[in-house]
Amino acid sequence: MKVLVAAKRVVDYNVNVRVLSDESGVDLNNVKMSVNPFDEIAIEEAVRLKEAGKAEEVIVVSVGSSACQEQIRTALALGADRGILVETEEDVQPLGIAKVLKAIMDKEQPEIVITGKQAIDGDNSQTGQMLAALGGYGQATFASEVELGDGTATVTREIDGGLETITVKLPAVITTDLRLNEPRYASLPNIMKAKKKPVDTYSPADLGVDVTPSITTLKVSPPAERQAGITVETVEELVDKLKNEAKVI
Amino acid sequence: MGILVIADNDNESIKAPTLVTVAAALQIGDNVDVLVAGSGCGAAGEAAAKIGGVNKVLVADNDTYGHDLAENLAALVVELAAGYSHIMTSTTTSGKNFLPRVAALLDVGQISDITAVVSEDTFERPIYAGNAIATVQSSDSVKVITVRGTAFDPVPADGGSAAVENVGSVTDSGVSTWDREQIVERDRPELTAASVIISGGRGMQNGDNFTLLESVADKLGAAVGASRAAVDAGFVPNDMQVGQTGKIVAPELYVAVGISGAIQHLAGMKDSKVIVAINKDEDAPIFQVADYGLVADLFKAVPEMDGLL
Ligand SMILES: Cc1cc2nc3c(=O)[nH]c(=O)nc-3n(C[C@H](O)[C@H](O)[C@H](O)COP(=O)(O)OP(=O)(O)OC[C@H]3O[C@@H](n4cnc5c(N)ncnc54)[C@H](O)[C@@H]3O)c2cc1C
Ligand SMILES: Nc1ncnc2c1ncn2[C@@H]1O[C@H](COP(=O)(O)O)[C@@H](O)[C@H]1O
């Protein structure tokens, strides 16, 4: 069985992003870029399936500029077997990414595709679900536990009220939540080995996919600033302020 | 052309975020229909008919819709989509699950988690954990949208008298089945509906210590929330997580106890009206967004606060 995982190159989660003064976007100059944290969890889950003897091959896909090679290499160092870069300078939106992933699914015929539940730059939380729809596959989003059965996956999902468990037929798309696993760190020997693993490069056109976006960003502005607050010295003062100044209790 | 709002419901009632989504829809146009899909959801359908400003309620009552399985729900919505210019639902885990599927089946993009309506095709939405607000315009024939539950004033749950129509169609995709759920029952307001929230972080040290917060919450009629660190450490269940990837809240009062204030946590609570932080580290970033900061050991401060309420 093959497992396909998606890895997006995003601003590292520790970076406090700043909006550019011309409101055209956020400042990405000299900013640390990483694998989207939810995709690290996806890679980890796929690699564990391989280590458990349930998957033969883990393929990682990234869509974006040639710089995404870096994130593919990271995934290879974490245990993925080979990479696919779908190279484009276009700012591809979730529907376009889903179409690209669908084309790769058609090519590679994986039983399971694992994506993150959300990319922490656009905070869209759409791609996995869209991919499942395009292929007519079942989806198990926001997974915190995955168990493979005979041609099925039983997945515990994090939902607003708590947890729910569903079973999806394979092939299926799973999207990861934070508590699915704790990703490992790449060891130096594995980083070296990763350099020799194969990475194929395609353009969206090679895959017959049109990734022209239908949603245009007109501007990006900073959020409303909060007024600076005050420090209170005692609990008594705090309770008094909440009652008499803020009037919220 | 009308707007279709898919209601978040538990078969008996309509959940609060739906009132917010209807409010957002009414800013786009005045012809708003509500779809209530569920199993034995007649009561929820009747409740939807009373929502202020709603034109018509469509009720799809069938076992296949009982647990919001995305494949079935999305197929239903796509079947009903003709004639609607906008298809909207709330940014709940159910909405996030099925609506992108609807968009893909209609071959259009989705605009996630809008916080403002600029015009019928232009919306604001937070990106980068709320560190930036994007204004986006859609050229799609149908706009598929999720709405942030804290961003619009809800319409009244009562006062309307919409017509109710039954939808007969049934789709069972056959690719997924619902097995079971573990829903945490609490005698407190839901996080996303509470006007006061008291949240604990890693500083709480263990789950038992959350009783300190619960005692205060009882007195304030508050909900209890948590940071990711507190959930990951197993102190409390996942449904209590506030943040970029948990629940987005904006109560009148948010009290953060033993929470450092990572960007991802702030993303979920920084639109609260009044923020209080109790932390023993005066340099904790949470103090930068707090209206009232108290540098103190929570194990002294919280019981003392409890005593004063
Ligand atoms: C992709 C991604 C998504 C994430 N999503 C979320 C999310 O949705 N929500 C979220 O919360 N986090 C999220 N995080 C995690 C986030 O980055 C932080 O790690 C987390 O919020 C830290 O939780 P904390 O403040 O409880 O713990 P810490 O950062 O460890 O802070 C504990 C605080 O408690 C204080 N403290 C300790 N003891 C006491 C005491 N006795 N009295 C008073 N104060 C005390 C300390 O001074 C410290 O400030 C996410 C991270 C990633 C990578
Ligand atoms: N450019 C991309 N390249 C590879 N995977 C992506 C890309 N964009 C999104 N994804 C995948 O889709 C998930 C959800 O992204 P989103 O729908 O943008 O929030 C991510 O966690 C990735 O797994």
Side-chain angles (χ1 to χ4, degrees):
Chain A
M1 177 170 91
K2 282 189 199 175
V3 180
L4 190 71
V5 287
K8 186 176 189 189
R9 173 182 171 88
V10 297
V11 171
D12 187 81
Y13 79 96
N14 277 310
V15 173
N16 214 335
V17 300
R18 300 258 170 261
V19 169
L20 292 168
S21 55
D22 67 359
E23 303 206 319
S24 62
V26 301
D27 191 354
L28 294 180
N29 278 316
N30 298 316
V31 162
K32 185 178 178 208
M33 303 296 283
S34 299
V35 174
N36 182 43
F38 289 101
D39 301 352
E40 284 185 340
I41 297 172
I43 295 161
E44 178 67 31
E45 196 65 17
V47 170
R48 287 187 192 183
L49 286 176
K50 185 171 173 193
E51 288 169 346
K54 291 174 181 157
E56 279 93 52
E57 192 183 29
V58 176
I59 307 163
V60 57
V61 189
S62 192
V63 185
S65 71
S66 62
C68 299
Q69 293 272 3
E70 203 186 319
Q71 280 62 45
I72 291 176
R73 291 292 163 197
T74 303
L76 297 175
L78 291 170
D81 297 295
R82 64 186 165 96
I84 298 175
L85 169 64
V86 180
E87 199 175 331
T88 168
E89 292 302 322
E90 183 102 52
D91 177 25
V92 187
Q93 289 166 359
L95 182 62
I97 304 284
K99 287 179 178 173
V100 166
L101 294 177
K102 167 71 171 48
I104 291 175
M105 265 188 98
D106 292 346
K107 227 176 155 75
E108 300 283 352
Q109 302 286 322
E111 289 284 281
I112 300 179
V113 182
I114 313 179
T115 74
K117 90 161 175 184
Q118 150 182 4
I120 61 162
D121 48 3
D123 284 335
N124 281 309
S125 198
Q126 301 173 7
T127 307
Q129 299 88 311
M130 288 180 159
L131 169 62
L134 295 176
Y137 307 123
Q139 67 185 51
T141 54
F142 325 144
S144 66
E145 212 184 309
V146 175
E147 228 174 281
L148 292 191
D150 190 12
T152 61
T154 297
V155 178
T156 302
R157 309 179 52 234
E158 296 204 357
I159 58 171
D160 286 337
L163 298 170
E164 91 176 355
T165 305
I166 63 170
T167 298
V168 284
K169 279 191 189 150
L170 302 184
V173 179
I174 295 171
T175 81
T176 61
D177 215 318
L178 293 170
R179 281 161 285 274
L180 180 58
N181 60 48
E182 213 167 300
R184 70 194 67 188
Y185 292 96
S187 67
L188 196 58
N190 284 343
I191 294 173
M192 299 313 289
K193 262 194 246 161
K195 295 191 171 147
K196 299 204 186 76
K197 292 183 178 175
V199 176
D200 290 324
T201 302
Y202 303 99
S203 70
D206 292 340
L207 298 167
V209 176
D210 177 6
V211 292
T212 315
S214 62
I215 296 167
T216 322
T217 299
L218 302 180
K219 67 170 183 181
V220 174
S221 18
E225 290 254 353
R226 279 193 85 88
Q227 295 282 335
I230 61 163
T231 305
V232 290
E233 298 302 326
T234 64
V235 174
E236 220 166 5
E237 187 187 347
L238 173 64
V239 172
D240 175 66
K241 295 272 188 206
L242 292 178
K243 278 190 178 148
N244 301 314
E245 190 177 88
K247 297 187 170 43
V248 284
I249 59 173
Chain B
M1 297 251 278
I3 300 170
L4 181 64
V5 170
I6 299 101
D8 196 11
N9 77 93
D10 60 7
N11 295 323
E12 300 297 318
S13 62
I14 300 294
K15 299 287 191 85
T18 300
L19 304 176
V20 175
T21 301
V22 171
L26 287 167
Q27 287 192 13
I28 300 169
D30 51 16
N31 190 3
V32 176
D33 292 352
V34 172
L35 169 65
V36 177
S39 167
C41 62
E46 277 163 38
K50 298 200 186 97
I51 297 175
V54 172
N55 174 52
K56 185 168 73 180
V57 174
L58 304 171
V59 176
D61 189 346
N62 192 279
D63 282 352
T64 48
Y65 307 128
H67 296 289
D68 287 3
L69 285 172
E71 298 83 0
N72 300 348
L73 194 48
L76 171 69
V77 174
V78 168
E79 210 178 292
L80 298 172
Y84 290 107
S85 59
H86 296 73
I87 298 178
M88 303 171 70
T89 197
S90 313
T91 316
T92 57
T93 47
S94 172
K96 289 195 284 190
N97 188 37
F98 81 85
L99 204 67
R101 213 171 159 106
V102 171
L105 292 172
L106 296 172
D107 197 24
V108 298
Q110 173 176 298
I111 306 166
S112 294
D113 211 22
I114 65 162
T115 51
V117 173
V118 178
S119 72
E120 60 169 28
D121 65 1
T122 305
F123 308 91
E124 287 180 14
R125 58 178 304 267
I127 53 175
Y128 292 95
N131 283 316
I133 309 293
T135 304
V136 297
Q137 184 173 36
S138 162
S139 63
D140 285 317
S141 54
V142 191
K143 276 78 175 166
V144 174
I145 297 168
T146 59
V147 179
R148 180 170 286 207
T150 54
F152 300 83
D153 289 332
V155 296
D158 287 306
S161 57
V164 179
E165 222 172 76
N166 285 311
V167 181
S169 76
V170 174
T171 316
D172 186 353
S173 71
V175 293
S176 67
T177 48
W178 183 89
D179 300 332
R180 59 184 180 274
E181 66 189 3
Q182 286 165 260
I183 297 298
V184 192
E185 296 291 347
R186 294 195 183 85
D187 313 326
R188 298 182 192 290
E190 280 184 42
L191 268 180
T192 48
S195 60
V196 179
I197 295 173
I198 179 162
S199 288
R202 202 196 307 269
M204 296 304 295
Q205 290 178 3
N206 58 46
D208 290 341
N209 288 336
F210 268 74
T211 52
L212 298 173
L213 306 186
E214 281 160 16
S215 179
V216 173
D218 286 341
K219 293 187 176 154
L220 298 176
V224 179
S227 70
R228 170 187 173 185
V231 176
D232 282 6
F235 301 173
V236 292
N238 67 285
D239 66 299
M240 285 168 65
Q241 180 178 318
V242 171
Q244 179 187 18
T245 56
K247 292 196 172 112
I248 309 283
V249 299
E252 292 290 301
L253 172 62
Y254 187 91
V255 185
V257 181
I259 292 177
S260 61
I263 309 167
Q264 295 84 9
H265 189 78
L266 301 185
M269 44 64 78
K270 72 179 172 166
D271 292 329
S272 305
K273 189 158 158 249
V274 175
I275 296 173
V276 169
I278 302 176
N279 196 305
K280 67 178 180 188
D281 172 10
E282 61 179 326
D283 295 324
I286 189 77
F287 288 122
Q288 289 164 22
V289 299
D291 299 282
Y292 302 107
L294 177 66
V295 181
D297 185 336
L298 72 93
F299 294 105
K300 288 207 188 93
V302 176
E304 201 183 325
M305 185 173 176
D306 196 15
L308 289 173
L309 293 171

